[in-house]
Amino acid sequence: RKDIAGFSVSDRIQLFENRIYLTLGYERMHDNVANTKEATTFTNTYRTNVSWYPIDTTLPRVSVGFMKRNRDNGVARNNPIVAELTGVDEVAAVQNISITDGDTLLTASPRFSDTYQMTASVSQEFSLLGMTHDASLNFSMLNTSSDVFKYGDSQSNSLSLRVVNRYENLPLQTHLGFNLNNTETSSGLTDIQILGASAGGELFLMDNDVSLNASIAFTKNRSESIALLANSNGTPELSADDYYQPDGSSSRSASNSYIISAGGRYDLSQQHAFVLDFRYSNVRN
């Protein structure tokens, strides 16, 4: 990664005859390797995950993970001009400044944020209507809070369901998927909702030497946003007293996306194969 240095260490521990896996990880990174920035941002990331894989297939496979990330460049928020304005928070200031001997000097922008992520998944295999199904439910929650910028918070939630169907008397495998994502950024000023669904299958012929596949995916995207504008505080010739504020008017957008894909593979031998892929996508705003 450009202008990034650091280290990462992780360990995966197998417990109870490989039925439970415990993963622990730590990463510490910093930018400004080239020493061209006014401040260096340090990033500390802690990760842990616990997964259970039971021998009995009637029991579900479960995985739970947690991540904590902290970013800090050691610069405090400082703008006494904006802090003196009535009804305006100092953390909404556009620029960081320092006043020395009556002179106003620009300083590095502060960076201090905490990010938390939780993931969970449950998978279960079962038989129904002459088919073997493998269903998985996944959930993810991501939350970032900023202590130095009023509009620096964000959060995102994602829920997905996928079912893979294997037919007992047919060389066919199909799948169905569903996903729902909701994201808020700029401390709630922007709201994005994405709804997605997909379906497809794969057919195996000639002792699995030939495989044919096809799928279709659809996403429905909706967003509503209130823009941030820089208020000049009545002094457009000066920038030190500028602060961010919501525009007040909201904008909405919507789009639908379609993706159709198909393909085939013919294995001539273990070393050679012919592959044909087709993909069509369409986005309408």
Coordinates of all heavy atoms in Angstrom, one line a residue, residues 153-227:
D153 N -19.4 10.5 11.5 CA -19.9 9.2 11.9 C -20.5 8.5 10.7 O -21.1 9.1 9.8 CB -20.9 9.4 13.0 CG -20.3 9.9 14.3 OD1 -19.0 10.0 14.3 OD2 -21.0 10.3 15.2
S154 N -20.5 7.2 10.7 CA -21.1 6.4 9.7 C -21.5 5.0 10.3 O -20.8 4.6 11.2 CB -20.3 6.2 8.5 OG -19.1 5.5 8.8
Q155 N -22.5 4.4 9.7 CA -22.9 3.0 10.1 C -23.5 2.3 9.0 O -24.1 2.9 8.1 CB -23.8 3.1 11.3 CG -25.1 3.8 11.1 CD -26.0 3.8 12.3 OE1 -25.7 3.2 13.3 NE2 -27.2 4.4 12.1
S156 N -23.3 1.0 9.0 CA -23.8 0.2 7.9 C -24.2 -1.2 8.4 O -23.5 -1.8 9.3 CB -22.7 0.0 6.8 OG -23.1 -0.9 5.8
N157 N -25.3 -1.7 7.9 CA -25.9 -3.0 8.3 C -26.1 -3.8 7.0 O -26.7 -3.3 6.1 CB -27.2 -2.9 9.1 CG -26.9 -2.1 10.4 OD1 -26.1 -2.5 11.2 ND2 -27.7 -1.1 10.6
S158 N -25.8 -5.0 7.0 CA -26.0 -5.9 5.9 C -26.5 -7.2 6.3 O -26.0 -7.8 7.3 CB -24.6 -6.1 5.1 OG -24.8 -7.0 4.0
L159 N -27.5 -7.7 5.6 CA -28.1 -9.0 5.9 C -28.2 -9.8 4.5 O -28.8 -9.2 3.6 CB -29.5 -8.9 6.5 CG -30.2 -10.2 6.8 CD1 -29.5 -10.9 7.9 CD2 -31.7 -9.9 7.3
S160 N -27.7 -11.0 4.5 CA -27.8 -11.8 3.2 C -28.2 -13.2 3.5 O -27.9 -13.8 4.6 CB -26.4 -11.7 2.5 OG -25.4 -12.3 3.3
L161 N -28.9 -13.8 2.6 CA -29.3 -15.2 2.7 C -29.0 -15.8 1.3 O -29.3 -15.3 0.3 CB -30.8 -15.3 2.9 CG -31.5 -16.7 2.9 CD1 -30.9 -17.5 4.0 CD2 -33.0 -16.6 3.0
R162 N -28.4 -17.0 1.4 CA -28.1 -17.8 0.2 C -28.4 -19.2 0.4 O -28.1 -19.8 1.5 CB -26.6 -17.6 -0.1 CG -26.1 -18.4 -1.4 CD -24.7 -18.1 -1.7 NE -24.1 -19.0 -2.7 CZ -24.2 -18.7 -4.0 NH1 -24.8 -17.6 -4.4 NH2 -23.7 -19.6 -4.9
V163 N -29.0 -19.8 -0.6 CA -29.4 -21.3 -0.6 C -28.9 -21.9 -1.8 O -29.1 -21.5 -2.9 CB -30.9 -21.4 -0.5 CG1 -31.3 -22.9 -0.4 CG2 -31.5 -20.7 0.8
V164 N -28.1 -23.0 -1.6 CA -27.5 -23.8 -2.7 C -28.3 -25.1 -2.7 O -28.4 -25.8 -1.7 CB -26.0 -24.0 -2.6 CG1 -25.5 -24.9 -3.7 CG2 -25.3 -22.7 -2.6
N165 N -28.8 -25.5 -3.9 CA -29.6 -26.7 -4.0 C -28.9 -27.7 -4.9 O -28.6 -27.4 -6.1 CB -31.0 -26.4 -4.6 CG -31.6 -25.1 -4.0 OD1 -32.0 -25.1 -2.9 ND2 -31.7 -24.0 -4.8
R166 N -28.8 -28.9 -4.4 CA -28.2 -30.0 -5.2 C -29.2 -31.1 -5.4 O -29.8 -31.6 -4.4 CB -26.9 -30.6 -4.5 CG -25.8 -29.5 -4.4 CD -24.5 -30.2 -3.8 NE -24.8 -30.6 -2.4 CZ -24.6 -29.9 -1.4 NH1 -24.3 -28.6 -1.5 NH2 -24.8 -30.4 -0.2
Y167 N -29.5 -31.5 -6.6 CA -30.5 -32.4 -7.0 C -29.9 -33.9 -7.0 O -28.8 -34.1 -7.5 CB -31.1 -32.1 -8.3 CG -31.8 -30.8 -8.4 CD1 -31.0 -29.6 -8.5 CD2 -33.2 -30.7 -8.3 CE1 -31.6 -28.4 -8.5 CE2 -33.8 -29.4 -8.3 CZ -33.0 -28.3 -8.5 OH -33.6 -27.0 -8.5
E168 N -30.7 -34.8 -6.3 CA -30.2 -36.1 -6.2 C -30.1 -36.9 -7.5 O -29.2 -37.7 -7.7 CB -31.0 -36.9 -5.2 CG -30.9 -36.3 -3.7 CD -31.8 -37.0 -2.8 OE1 -32.4 -38.0 -3.2 OE2 -31.8 -36.7 -1.6
N169 N -31.1 -36.7 -8.4 CA -31.2 -37.5 -9.6 C -30.9 -36.7 -10.9 O -31.1 -37.2 -12.0 CB -32.6 -38.1 -9.7 CG -33.0 -39.0 -8.6 OD1 -32.1 -39.8 -8.1 ND2 -34.2 -38.9 -8.1
L170 N -30.4 -35.5 -10.7 CA -30.1 -34.7 -11.8 C -28.7 -34.1 -11.6 O -28.3 -33.7 -10.5 CB -31.1 -33.5 -12.0 CG -32.5 -33.9 -12.4 CD1 -33.4 -32.7 -12.3 CD2 -32.6 -34.5 -13.8
P171 N -27.9 -34.0 -12.7 CA -26.6 -33.3 -12.6 C -26.7 -31.8 -12.6 O -26.1 -31.1 -13.4 CB -25.8 -33.8 -13.8 CG -26.9 -34.0 -14.8 CD -28.1 -34.4 -14.1
L172 N -27.4 -31.3 -11.6 CA -27.8 -29.9 -11.6 C -27.6 -29.3 -10.2 O -27.9 -30.0 -9.2 CB -29.2 -29.7 -12.1 CG -29.8 -28.3 -12.1 CD1 -29.1 -27.4 -13.1 CD2 -31.3 -28.3 -12.4
Q173 N -27.1 -28.1 -10.2 CA -27.0 -27.3 -8.9 C -27.5 -25.9 -9.1 O -27.1 -25.3 -10.1 CB -25.5 -27.3 -8.4 CG -25.3 -26.5 -7.2 CD -23.9 -26.6 -6.7 OE1 -23.4 -27.7 -6.3 NE2 -23.2 -25.5 -6.7
T174 N -28.4 -25.5 -8.3 CA -29.0 -24.1 -8.4 C -28.7 -23.4 -7.1 O -28.4 -23.9 -6.1 CB -30.5 -24.2 -8.7 OG1 -31.1 -24.9 -7.6 CG2 -30.7 -24.9 -10.0
H175 N -28.9 -22.0 -7.2 CA -28.7 -21.2 -6.0 C -29.6 -20.0 -6.1 O -30.0 -19.5 -7.2 CB -27.2 -20.8 -5.9 CG -26.8 -19.9 -7.0 ND1 -27.0 -18.5 -7.1 CD2 -26.1 -20.1 -8.2 CE1 -26.5 -18.0 -8.2 NE2 -25.9 -18.9 -8.9
L176 N -30.0 -19.6 -4.9 CA -30.8 -18.4 -4.7 C -30.1 -17.5 -3.7 O -29.6 -18.0 -2.7 CB -32.2 -18.7 -4.3 CG -33.1 -19.5 -5.3 CD1 -34.4 -20.0 -4.6 CD2 -33.4 -18.7 -6.5
G177 N -30.2 -16.2 -3.9 CA -29.5 -15.3 -3.0 C -30.4 -14.0 -2.8 O -31.1 -13.6 -3.6
F178 N -30.2 -13.4 -1.6 CA -30.9 -12.2 -1.2 C -30.0 -11.4 -0.3 O -29.3 -11.9 0.5 CB -32.2 -12.5 -0.5 CG -32.9 -11.3 0.1 CD1 -33.7 -10.5 -0.7 CD2 -32.7 -11.0 1.4 CE1 -34.3 -9.4 -0.1 CE2 -33.3 -9.9 2.0 CZ -34.1 -9.1 1.2
N179 N -30.0 -10.1 -0.5 CA -29.1 -9.2 0.2 C -29.8 -7.9 0.5 O -30.4 -7.3 -0.4 CB -27.8 -9.0 -0.4 CG -26.9 -8.0 0.4 OD1 -26.9 -6.8 0.1 ND2 -26.2 -8.6 1.3
L180 N -29.7 -7.4 1.7 CA -30.2 -6.1 2.1 C -29.2 -5.3 2.8 O -28.6 -5.8 3.8 CB -31.5 -6.2 3.0 CG -32.1 -5.0 3.5 CD1 -32.7 -4.1 2.3 CD2 -33.2 -5.3 4.5
N181 N -28.9 -4.1 2.3 CA -27.8 -3.3 2.9 C -28.4 -1.9 3.2 O -29.0 -1.3 2.3 CB -26.6 -3.2 2.0 CG -25.5 -2.3 2.6 OD1 -25.5 -1.1 2.5 ND2 -24.5 -3.0 3.2
N182 N -28.1 -1.3 4.4 CA -28.5 0.0 4.7 C -27.3 0.7 5.3 O -26.7 0.3 6.2 CB -29.6 0.0 5.7 CG -30.1 1.4 6.0 OD1 -30.8 2.0 5.2 ND2 -29.7 2.0 7.1
T183 N -26.9 1.9 4.7 CA -25.7 2.6 5.1 C -26.1 4.1 5.4 O -26.8 4.7 4.6 CB -24.7 2.5 4.0 OG1 -24.3 1.2 3.8 CG2 -23.4 3.3 4.4
E184 N -25.6 4.6 6.4 CA -25.7 6.0 6.8 C -24.3 6.6 6.9 O -23.5 6.1 7.7 CB -26.6 6.3 8.0 CG -28.0 5.9 7.9 CD -28.8 6.3 9.2 OE1 -28.2 6.8 10.1 OE2 -30.0 6.1 9.2
T185 N -24.1 7.7 6.2 CA -22.8 8.4 6.4 C -23.0 9.9 6.7 O -24.2 10.3 6.7 CB -22.0 8.3 5.0 OG1 -22.7 8.9 4.0 CG2 -21.8 6.9 4.7
S186 N -22.0 10.6 6.9 CA -22.0 12.0 7.3 C -22.9 12.2 8.5 O -23.8 13.2 8.5 CB -22.5 12.9 6.1 OG -21.6 12.7 5.0
S187 N -22.8 11.3 9.5 CA -23.6 11.4 10.7 C -25.1 11.4 10.4 O -25.9 12.2 11.0 CB -23.2 12.7 11.5 OG -21.9 12.6 11.9
G188 N -25.5 10.6 9.4 CA -27.0 10.5 9.1 C -27.5 11.4 8.0 O -28.6 11.3 7.6
L189 N -26.6 12.3 7.5 CA -27.1 13.1 6.4 C -27.3 12.4 5.1 O -28.1 12.8 4.2 CB -26.1 14.3 6.2 CG -26.0 15.3 7.3 CD1 -25.0 16.3 7.0 CD2 -27.3 15.9 7.7
T190 N -26.6 11.3 4.9 CA -26.8 10.5 3.7 C -27.2 9.1 4.1 O -26.7 8.4 5.0 CB -25.4 10.3 2.9 OG1 -25.0 11.6 2.5 CG2 -25.6 9.5 1.7
D191 N -28.3 8.6 3.4 CA -28.9 7.3 3.7 C -29.0 6.6 2.4 O -29.5 7.0 1.4 CB -30.3 7.5 4.3 CG -30.9 6.2 4.7 OD1 -30.2 5.2 5.0 OD2 -32.2 6.1 4.6
I192 N -28.4 5.4 2.4 CA -28.3 4.6 1.2 C -28.9 3.2 1.5 O -28.5 2.6 2.5 CB -26.9 4.4 0.7 CG1 -26.2 5.8 0.4 CG2 -26.8 3.5 -0.6 CD1 -24.7 5.7 0.1
Q193 N -29.8 2.7 0.6 CA -30.4 1.4 0.8 C -30.2 0.6 -0.5 O -30.5 1.1 -1.6 CB -31.9 1.5 1.1 CG -32.2 2.2 2.4 CD -33.7 2.3 2.7 OE1 -34.5 2.0 1.9 NE2 -34.0 2.7 3.9
I194 N -29.8 -0.6 -0.4 CA -29.5 -1.5 -1.5 C -30.2 -2.8 -1.3 O -30.0 -3.4 -0.2 CB -28.0 -1.7 -1.8 CG1 -27.3 -0.3 -1.9 CG2 -27.8 -2.6 -3.0 CD1 -25.8 -0.5 -2.1
L195 N -31.1 -3.2 -2.2 CA -31.8 -4.5 -2.1 C -31.3 -5.3 -3.3 O -31.4 -4.8 -4.5 CB -33.3 -4.2 -2.1 CG -34.2 -5.5 -2.2 CD1 -34.0 -6.3 -0.9 CD2 -35.6 -5.1 -2.4
G196 N -30.9 -6.5 -3.1 CA -30.4 -7.3 -4.2 C -30.9 -8.7 -4.1 O -31.2 -9.3 -3.0
A197 N -31.0 -9.4 -5.3 CA -31.5 -10.7 -5.4 C -30.8 -11.4 -6.6 O -30.4 -10.7 -7.6 CB -33.0 -10.8 -5.5
S198 N -30.5 -12.7 -6.5 CA -29.9 -13.4 -7.6 C -30.4 -14.8 -7.6 O -30.8 -15.4 -6.6 CB -28.3 -13.4 -7.4 OG -28.0 -14.1 -6.2
A199 N -30.3 -15.4 -8.8 CA -30.7 -16.8 -9.0 C -29.8 -17.3 -10.2 O -29.5 -16.6 -11.1 CB -32.1 -16.9 -9.3
G200 N -29.5 -18.6 -10.1 CA -28.7 -19.2 -11.1 C -28.6 -20.7 -10.9 O -29.1 -21.3 -10.0
G201 N -27.9 -21.3 -11.9 CA -27.6 -22.8 -11.8 C -26.5 -23.2 -12.7 O -26.0 -22.5 -13.5
E202 N -26.1 -24.4 -12.4 CA -25.0 -25.1 -13.2 C -25.4 -26.5 -13.5 O -25.8 -27.2 -12.6 CB -23.7 -25.0 -12.4 CG -22.5 -25.4 -13.2 CD -21.2 -25.1 -12.5 OE1 -21.2 -24.7 -11.3 OE2 -20.1 -25.2 -13.1
L203 N -25.2 -26.9 -14.8 CA -25.5 -28.2 -15.3 C -24.3 -28.9 -15.7 O -23.4 -28.4 -16.4 CB -26.5 -28.1 -16.5 CG -27.0 -29.4 -17.1 CD1 -27.8 -30.2 -16.1 CD2 -27.8 -29.1 -18.4
F204 N -24.1 -30.2 -15.3 CA -22.9 -31.0 -15.5 C -23.3 -32.1 -16.5 O -24.2 -32.9 -16.2 CB -22.4 -31.5 -14.2 CG -22.1 -30.5 -13.2 CD1 -23.0 -30.2 -12.2 CD2 -20.9 -29.8 -13.2 CE1 -22.7 -29.2 -11.3 CE2 -20.6 -28.8 -12.2 CZ -21.5 -28.5 -11.3
L205 N -22.5 -32.3 -17.6 CA -22.8 -33.3 -18.6 C -21.5 -34.0 -18.9 O -20.4 -33.6 -18.6 CB -23.4 -32.6 -19.9 CG -24.6 -31.7 -19.7 CD1 -24.9 -31.0 -21.0 CD2 -25.8 -32.6 -19.3
M206 N -21.7 -35.2 -19.6 CA -20.6 -36.0 -20.1 C -19.6 -36.3 -19.0 O -18.4 -35.9 -19.1 CB -19.9 -35.2 -21.3 CG -20.8 -35.0 -22.5 SD -20.0 -34.0 -23.8 CE -18.6 -35.1 -24.2
D207 N -20.1 -36.9 -18.0 CA -19.2 -37.2 -16.8 C -18.5 -36.0 -16.3 O -17.3 -36.1 -15.9 CB -18.2 -38.3 -17.2 CG -18.9 -39.7 -17.5 OD1 -20.0 -39.9 -17.0 OD2 -18.4 -40.4 -18.4
N208 N -19.2 -34.9 -16.2 CA -18.7 -33.7 -15.7 C -17.6 -33.0 -16.5 O -16.9 -32.1 -16.1 CB -18.2 -33.9 -14.3 CG -19.2 -34.2 -13.3 OD1 -20.4 -33.9 -13.5 ND2 -18.9 -34.9 -12.2
D209 N -17.4 -33.5 -17.8 CA -16.4 -32.9 -18.7 C -17.0 -31.6 -19.2 O -16.2 -30.7 -19.6 CB -16.0 -33.8 -19.8 CG -15.1 -35.0 -19.3 OD1 -14.5 -34.8 -18.3 OD2 -15.1 -36.0 -20.0
V210 N -18.3 -31.5 -19.3 CA -19.0 -30.3 -19.8 C -19.8 -29.7 -18.7 O -20.6 -30.4 -18.0 CB -19.8 -30.6 -21.0 CG1 -20.6 -29.3 -21.5 CG2 -18.9 -31.1 -22.1
S211 N -19.7 -28.4 -18.5 CA -20.5 -27.7 -17.5 C -21.1 -26.4 -18.1 O -20.4 -25.7 -18.8 CB -19.8 -27.4 -16.2 OG -18.7 -26.5 -16.5
L212 N -22.4 -26.2 -17.9 CA -23.1 -25.0 -18.4 C -23.6 -24.2 -17.2 O -24.2 -24.8 -16.3 CB -24.2 -25.4 -19.4 CG -23.8 -26.2 -20.6 CD1 -25.0 -26.6 -21.3 CD2 -22.8 -25.5 -21.5
N213 N -23.5 -22.9 -17.2 CA -24.0 -22.1 -16.1 C -24.7 -20.9 -16.6 O -24.4 -20.3 -17.7 CB -22.9 -21.7 -15.2 CG -21.8 -20.8 -15.8 OD1 -22.0 -19.6 -15.9 ND2 -20.8 -21.4 -16.3
A214 N -25.6 -20.4 -15.8 CA -26.4 -19.2 -16.1 C -26.9 -18.6 -14.8 O -27.2 -19.3 -13.9 CB -27.5 -19.4 -17.1
S215 N -26.9 -17.2 -14.7 CA -27.4 -16.6 -13.5 C -27.9 -15.2 -13.9 O -27.5 -14.6 -14.9 CB -26.3 -16.5 -12.5 OG -25.3 -15.6 -12.9
I216 N -28.8 -14.7 -13.0 CA -29.3 -13.3 -13.2 C -29.3 -12.7 -11.8 O -29.6 -13.3 -10.8 CB -30.7 -13.3 -13.8 CG1 -31.2 -11.9 -14.0 CG2 -31.7 -14.2 -13.0 CD1 -32.5 -11.8 -14.7
A217 N -28.9 -11.4 -11.8 CA -28.8 -10.7 -10.5 C -29.5 -9.3 -10.7 O -29.4 -8.7 -11.8 CB -27.4 -10.5 -10.0
F218 N -30.1 -8.9 -9.6 CA -30.9 -7.6 -9.7 C -30.6 -6.8 -8.4 O -30.6 -7.4 -7.3 CB -32.4 -7.8 -9.8 CG -33.2 -6.6 -9.6 CD1 -33.3 -5.6 -10.6 CD2 -33.9 -6.4 -8.4 CE1 -34.1 -4.5 -10.3 CE2 -34.6 -5.3 -8.1 CZ -34.7 -4.3 -9.1
T219 N -30.3 -5.5 -8.5 CA -30.2 -4.7 -7.4 C -31.0 -3.4 -7.5 O -31.1 -2.9 -8.6 CB -28.7 -4.2 -7.1 OG1 -28.2 -3.5 -8.3 CG2 -27.8 -5.4 -6.8
K220 N -31.6 -3.0 -6.4 CA -32.4 -1.8 -6.4 C -31.8 -0.8 -5.4 O -31.7 -1.2 -4.2 CB -33.9 -2.1 -6.0 CG -34.8 -1.0 -6.0 CD -36.2 -1.4 -5.6 CE -37.2 -0.3 -5.6 NZ -38.6 -0.7 -5.2
N221 N -31.3 0.3 -5.9 CA -30.6 1.2 -5.1 C -31.4 2.5 -4.9 O -31.9 3.1 -5.8 CB -29.2 1.6 -5.7 CG -28.5 0.3 -6.1 OD1 -27.9 -0.3 -5.3 ND2 -28.4 0.0 -7.4
R222 N -31.4 2.9 -3.6 CA -32.1 4.2 -3.3 C -31.2 5.0 -2.3 O -30.7 4.4 -1.4 CB -33.5 3.9 -2.6 CG -34.5 3.2 -3.5 CD -35.0 4.0 -4.6 NE -36.0 3.4 -5.4 CZ -35.7 2.6 -6.5 NH1 -34.4 2.4 -6.8 NH2 -36.7 2.0 -7.2
S223 N -31.1 6.3 -2.6 CA -30.3 7.1 -1.7 C -30.9 8.5 -1.5 O -31.6 9.0 -2.4 CB -28.9 7.3 -2.2 OG -28.9 8.0 -3.4
E224 N -30.7 9.0 -0.3 CA -31.2 10.4 0.0 C -30.1 11.1 0.8 O -29.5 10.5 1.7 CB -32.5 10.3 0.9 CG -33.0 11.7 1.2 CD -34.4 11.6 1.9 OE1 -34.9 10.5 2.1 OE2 -34.9 12.7 2.3
S225 N -29.8 12.3 0.3 CA -28.6 12.9 0.9 C -28.9 14.4 1.1 O -29.5 15.1 0.3 CB -27.4 12.7 -0.1 OG -26.2 13.4 0.4
I226 N -28.3 14.9 2.2 CA -28.3 16.3 2.4 C -26.9 16.8 2.4 O -26.0 16.3 3.1 CB -28.9 16.7 3.8 CG1 -30.3 16.2 3.9 CG2 -28.8 18.1 4.1 CD1 -31.0 16.4 5.3
A227 N -26.6 17.7 1.5 CA -25.2 18.1 1.2 C -24.6 19.0 2.3 O -25.4 19.7 3.0 CB -25.1 18.9 -0.1

